[in-house]
Amino acid sequence: MKPLALFAAVGAAFAVVPFLGLPAFYESFLYLVFHWIVLATSWNLLSGYSGYFSFGHAAFFGAGVYSTAVLAGKAGWPFLLTLPVAAAVPAALGVALGAIVFRLPALRGELFALITLALMFVFATIVLNTPLDGGPGVYMSAVEVPALAPTPSGSFYLLALILALGTVGIAYSVYRSRFGTGLFAIHDDEDVAEVMGVPTYRYKLAALALSCALAGLAGGIHGVFVSYVTVGETFSGWLALNVILMAALGGTRHWAGPAVGAAAVTVMTFYFTTSDYAIAGRALVGLIFIVVILFMPNGLLGRFAVRKPLAARSEATAAGTIAVQGKREEPILVVRGAKKAFKGVQALAGVDLEVRRGEILGLVGPNGSGKSTLINVVSGHYPIDGGSMVFEGRELAGQAPHRVARSGIARTYQIPRPFAHLSVLENVALPPMFGQVRMDRRAAQAEAWRWLAFTGLEKKALQFPKDLNLHERKFLELARALASRPKLLFLDEVLSGLTPSEIDGAVRTIRAIREQGATIVFVEHVMRAVMELTDRVVVLTNGRSIAQGAPREVMRDPQVIDAYLGSAHA
Amino acid sequence: MPSLTLLGQSVLSGVFIGALYGLLGLGLTLSWGLLRQINLAHFALVFLGAYLNYQLASAGLDPLLTLAVTAPAFFVFGVALHWLLARFSVSPLNTLLVTFGFMVMIESLIQWIWTADFRRMENHYGNVRWKVGELYVPLPELLTLIVAAALAYGVWALLRYTDLGKAMRAASEDAPVAAAFGINEKRLALLLSGACAAFAAVAGVCLALSHTLAPAQIYAWIGVVFAAVMIGGLGNPVGALVAGIVIGVSEALTMALIAPAWAPLVSFTLLIAYLLFRPHRLA
């Protein structure tokens, strides 16, 4: 069944409930289930998909509650008009917080979790000490609710149903979209995602804003539903725990996981709180929480969380060439005086380098000479300290890594860094979705199939990176870099750790890549491959380029021999 | 403008409460900085320690002597917790979730045994206080400050100068390499986790001496203590104490000069300011 039809069918089936004349208890109970589905699913949009755990969902929920409470309960606005505000206020607060925390260089995840936790107490303090509440709570029994159903409880039921369907629908479409794929990549390795072209900062903010807005909407409705709100009841740590428990129980990597978990936990808590064992029930929820995280880190729907491929193997893009624009031999990348220091170690001390279109440039030098640092600086992973890097007439210094990727530069990592929770196919399909040509997921997967065939990884396409051996992981790195059809490709020691026969195969592959029209900068210690493959060689030592030219001539340069072997041999 | 005496008294009380923040933060900063575990259960342990202290003191035991019971018991809990987290190789972020579960369970246990009512430990330390110039110095708070400073300095010196401390720092930097150099990093981690939990018992005694207890208050300490831990630098016991005192004094001045109800915002504001201006100091 098509998802849209499924949503419509489920919605229609539940929509008739208020018209059946059942006791109000059923409507109110189902209302609570929908309410928790909205909260858990909205939490999951940011925290489950991108891995930034929020402990402050109650803060954003509470901001929504009090937006409606103040406007409808105190200022007399019509209820429905307050809902856009109940969504906008938490979203704005969330974005303001994210703008600070998401920029941090380290520990972003842990700090985000703790700061959101603190945020709840901050909001509670502000609301309690200002006329927003001031202490006594806000009554909303006089607020009129539009009569959608024969009874008031039926109307709340329908409001919550609509919101729940909408929220799960949003979770579903994000899950299937480019946006969602970017969030999953952030979850696994944010730095690599950024280098592959994912605008990580913007994506995190967008997911946070969406998450907060939906929680705020749930709050706006819930405040009127309970008709009397207090700071203590609204901003409770219990809510955050519950929401995380629900999402973790159902499965954070599946769009329906939090909804399933929310339904299960709501039913369970209902039985406990109506029994005589309320405290024991609370302890039991804590215990279930621990057991779920330890034994089912992927939740109830974990096994279904593997996304099916959209494009089949037979749909692989036909082998075309990467169009060479502009003249061969003209400089494509010009680096002048590039400087980079790490706590006193001058990794790059003014590197000058020119890469010409269509060539394979070998970048060699002893360990610690600055080769990898140069790649990291060009790709934007490290900000450059001084100098300039001009790629096709555009300055790269100061650009965010995802912008560098979009201008047509790709790289591999010396130690492969695949996205652990994405299939091999999805790993390779990611860069084309965020590269120069922004393909949709289907086209990107068709493209990925082509590069998997090229690197001989077709059979492993639906497996996960952990199932690959080192040789295959290196080729996964290569396929991933190629799939974005880069104009300029940095290969960082793709041959290290391979056997001689594997190296022969890889050398053939790299030749084939150049034939397709890419320009390659080849960082390598395996000299045999350097000699066979490269048109020109640049030698780095101590962060400076000391020689460049044809491979055989450069290798006879006394300075180069000195740098590699020490002066006794020169 | 309040009088100078009042201001002095509030700065002093800020130092005292800050010492308690630092003492609570001691175990947290060590487990976060050296074991990469964010232990929310620490707060619940502190309160459990405080309640046990309350219980044993009502039975006539001297509050400080109860440590002989609680500290070893908590040490065992800390070892067990680390064994569990290591056994399932729980990721740093998931340690936050697992220990959140433990926190709720311990809170339920406390509520079940001692109910949700406020409890106050009656003891002979509580009534002792001295007058220094114009200022009153209560004994329980002074004791907290001395214990917090001694422990923080002791742990710092241990980590810095002894072979054991060097081994611990090496193991946290790169466990496999440390193991290759003959460090039994698994045992060190268990030891450290146990020690952190034992510090919770010490903090519990100090908490019980100077504060009224209620299970729901566990959550109220989280934000401010973590702010102290982060500003002080992860894994830095002295830093946590100094940051705790800075926060405590700022809070006390906010209470005296603006209004008591706004004090909870102070730690958050300081932390956000710190993250904005010194983000590279973290980690």
Side-chain angles (χ1 to χ4, degrees):
Chain A
M1 205 194 281
K2 285 268 175 267
L4 199 64
L6 185 73
F7 270 99
V10 171
F14 276 108
V16 298
V17 169
F19 303 95
L20 298 179
L22 294 169
F25 161 77
Y26 291 98
E27 287 158 359
S28 295
F29 178 70
L30 283 174
Y31 165 86
L32 279 182
V33 173
F34 296 146
H35 171 72
W36 286 110
I37 285 179
V38 174
L39 288 178
T41 307
S42 62
W43 178 86
N44 200 53
L45 273 176
L46 173 76
S47 301
Y49 287 3
S50 81
Y52 275 86
F53 268 54
S54 162
F55 275 87
H57 217 48
F60 301 113
F61 165 79
V65 169
Y66 270 93
S67 297
T68 293
V70 169
L71 292 175
K74 293 193 169 184
W77 284 31
F79 169 56
L80 288 183
L81 270 187
T82 68
L83 289 183
V85 182
V89 168
L93 292 169
V95 167
L97 179 81
I100 297 171
V101 182
F102 288 155
R103 273 187 199 283
L104 292 174
L107 295 173
R108 288 169 291 222
E110 288 92 334
L111 280 174
F112 182 73
L114 291 169
I115 287 184
T116 47
L117 183 66
L119 195 66
M120 194 178 71
F121 296 102
V122 171
F123 282 12
T125 308
I126 293 176
V127 172
L128 193 63
N129 291 307
T130 56
L132 293 173
D133 182 308
V138 183
Y139 284 96
M140 281 185 283
S141 33
V143 174
E144 272 186 49
V145 177
L148 303 174
T151 61
S153 59
S155 301
F156 279 114
Y157 170 91
L158 284 182
L159 278 174
L161 173 64
I162 293 167
L163 185 58
L165 281 174
T167 305
V168 175
I170 289 173
Y172 174 78
S173 47
V174 169
Y175 176 84
R176 307 253 309 172
S177 68
R178 185 204 315 271
F179 180 35
T181 307
L183 292 177
F184 282 130
I186 290 171
H187 180 285
D188 283 355
D189 194 329
E190 186 167 346
D191 292 334
V192 175
E194 174 79 26
V195 165
M196 304 261 152
V198 179
T200 52
Y201 180 64
R202 200 145 36 86
Y203 269 27
K204 288 183 290 182
L205 277 188
L208 177 59
L210 199 56
S211 167
C212 294
L214 289 167
L217 276 178
I221 296 172
H222 196 65
V224 182
F225 174 79
V226 297
S227 84
Y228 169 60
V229 296
T230 60
V231 169
E233 288 281 313
T234 306
F235 297 96
S236 81
W238 186 236
L239 183 140
L241 170 70
N242 236 348
V243 165
I244 298 171
L245 170 63
M246 288 164 177
L249 185 68
T252 53
R253 292 187 72 86
H254 194 284
W255 58 272
V260 170
V265 173
T266 310
V267 172
M268 218 160 57
T269 340
F270 174 77
Y271 278 109
F272 277 120
T273 45
T274 50
S275 73
D276 297 336
Y277 304 104
I279 296 177
R282 212 169 136 83
L284 189 68
V285 170
L287 182 66
I288 294 174
F289 197 62
I290 297 168
V291 170
V292 165
I293 305 273
L294 292 184
F295 291 95
M296 281 197 300
N298 299 322
L300 294 172
L301 295 188
R303 69 178 70 191
F304 306 107
V306 180
R307 302 196 297 176
K308 287 202 192 73
L310 284 177
R313 184 170 169 179
S314 56
E315 293 172 57
T317 321
T321 51
I322 302 166
V324 180
Q325 298 144 347
K327 271 185 289 193
R328 274 185 180 269
E329 298 294 306
E330 69 170 9
I332 183 169
L333 174 71
V334 180
V335 178
R336 287 280 169 261
K339 284 202 180 72
K340 179 73 195 171
F342 300 100
K343 286 184 183 166
V345 178
Q346 194 72 38
L348 299 179
V351 170
D352 295 319
L353 183 81
E354 212 178 84
V355 185
R356 297 172 192 159
R357 201 184 293 278
E359 75 174 346
I360 299 184
L361 176 70
L363 191 57
V364 298
N367 285 327
S369 59
K371 306 182 297 290
S372 290
T373 304
L374 185 70
I375 297 182
N376 280 324
V377 164
V378 173
S379 62
H381 186 78
Y382 296 141
I384 193 168
D385 292 346
S388 78
M389 308 175 287
V390 177
F391 178 66
E392 296 199 309
R394 279 178 54 218
E395 177 58 62
L396 293 180
Q399 299 249 20
H402 72 266
R403 297 219 163 265
V404 175
R406 278 187 198 170
S407 64
I409 295 179
R411 65 165 296 180
T412 62
Y413 285 89
Q414 185 182 346
I415 297 161
R417 287 173 71 173
F419 300 113
H421 296 92
L422 296 181
S423 68
V424 168
L425 179 71
E426 285 194 289
N427 261 287
V428 180
L430 188 108
M433 294 169 72
F434 295 95
Q436 307 163 71
V437 205
R438 289 158 59 81
M439 298 183 190
D440 63 29
R441 255 182 83 206
R442 197 189 165 87
Q445 289 190 2
E447 180 74 12
W449 277 113
R450 171 191 168 191
W451 294 108
L452 287 175
F454 184 81
T455 47
L457 287 173
E458 263 179 319
K459 287 206 178 72
K460 304 272 180 178
L462 300 182
Q463 294 183 342
F464 285 84
K466 66 174 164 48
D467 305 321
L468 304 184
N469 62 30
L470 175 68
H471 170 79
E472 289 164 337
R473 280 158 177 257
K474 290 248 171 194
F475 272 70
L476 173 58
E477 277 290 320
L478 193 60
R480 204 162 60 159
L482 289 170
S484 66
R485 300 201 194 186
K487 294 174 191 157
L488 177 58
L489 172 61
F490 285 90
L491 298 179
D492 194 358
E493 300 199 20
V494 280
L495 305 182
S496 68
L498 300 190
T499 64
S501 67
E502 285 171 344
I503 289 179
D504 289 338
V507 165
R508 278 195 297 278
T509 307
I510 293 166
R511 277 226 181 82
I513 296 166
R514 196 255 295 266
E515 246 106 271
Q516 309 229 0
T519 308
I520 298 171
V521 175
F522 183 63
V523 174
E524 195 50 75
H525 281 302
V526 181
M527 274 306 155
R528 172 164 71 89
V530 174
M531 292 300 174
E532 273 183 54
L533 274 172
T534 56
D535 303 303
R536 284 193 314 131
V537 168
V538 171
V539 184
L540 289 189
T541 320
N542 299 328
R544 285 176 200 283
S545 28
I546 55 166
Q548 50 181 308
R552 287 186 198 287
E553 283 160 34
V554 168
M555 284 305 150
R556 281 198 291 268
D557 187 320
Q559 250 189 305
V560 174
I561 297 169
D562 179 35
Y564 262 96
L565 301 172
S567 47
H569 298 270
Chain B
M1 188 73 195
S3 73
L4 223 56
T5 317
L6 194 62
L7 270 186
Q9 190 69 51
S10 62
V11 167
L12 192 63
S13 68
V15 171
F16 288 142
I17 187 79
L20 197 50
Y21 295 157
L23 189 55
L24 260 81
L26 178 61
L28 285 171
T29 197
L30 292 177
S31 62
W32 193 358
L34 298 176
L35 298 174
R36 295 280 143 201
Q37 290 166 358
I38 309 171
N39 186 2
L40 286 175
H42 194 75
F43 294 92
L45 274 187
V46 170
F47 270 77
L48 186 62
Y51 271 102
L52 286 172
N53 196 252
Y54 161 83
Q55 193 67 42
L56 293 172
S58 335
L61 205 59
D62 186 286
L64 295 183
L65 284 182
T66 60
L67 267 182
V69 182
T70 53
F74 280 22
F75 182 89
V76 172
F77 176 86
V79 169
L81 177 68
H82 183 79
W83 177 83
L84 188 75
L85 295 175
R87 164 74 181 69
F88 288 91
S89 40
V90 181
S91 70
L93 208 57
N94 278 354
T95 60
L96 197 67
L97 300 179
V98 172
T99 56
F100 203 99
F102 276 111
M103 178 166 72
V104 172
M105 286 174 67
I106 297 173
E107 187 214 340
S108 304
L109 180 76
I110 291 174
Q111 199 173 334
W112 182 52
I113 300 177
W114 289 285
T115 76
D117 298 340
F118 285 94
R119 302 282 167 143
R120 176 83 201 195
M121 185 166 77
E122 298 301 333
N123 65 84
H124 54 274
Y125 294 103
N127 306 321
V128 183
R129 57 182 187 167
W130 298 288
K131 197 161 186 206
V132 182
E134 294 287 308
L135 304 178
Y136 283 102
V137 179
L139 176 62
E141 274 86 351
L142 187 66
L143 215 56
T144 304
L145 179 62
I146 293 169
V147 168
L151 273 184
Y153 178 76
V155 171
W156 175 81
L158 188 100
L159 285 176
R160 180 136 178 80
Y161 296 116
T162 67
D163 285 349
L164 182 71
K166 282 175 191 162
M168 275 182 182
R169 284 189 291 143
S172 91
E173 198 113 315
D174 194 327
V177 172
F181 278 88
I183 292 173
N184 188 343
E185 47 101 8
K186 294 203 175 78
R187 201 166 64 195
L188 280 184
L190 289 172
L191 184 70
L192 186 59
S193 180
C196 289
F199 291 149
V202 178
V205 172
C206 293
L207 183 74
L209 278 175
S210 52
H211 281 71
T212 308
L213 305 172
Q217 298 216 316
I218 294 173
Y219 298 94
W221 290 80
I222 296 175
V224 61
V225 173
F226 268 116
V229 166
M230 283 182 258
I231 296 176
L234 303 183
N236 183 347
V238 177
L241 180 63
V242 172
I245 290 176
V246 169
I247 293 174
V249 171
S250 316
E251 277 182 349
L253 288 177
T254 310
M255 287 190 208
L257 298 174
I258 304 170
W262 287 104
L265 282 194
V266 171
S267 54
F268 186 77
T269 314
L270 285 176
L271 180 60
I272 288 288
Y274 185 80
L275 294 181
L276 273 177
F277 299 114
R278 310 285 305 267
H280 296 279
R281 279 288 309 281
L282 283 163

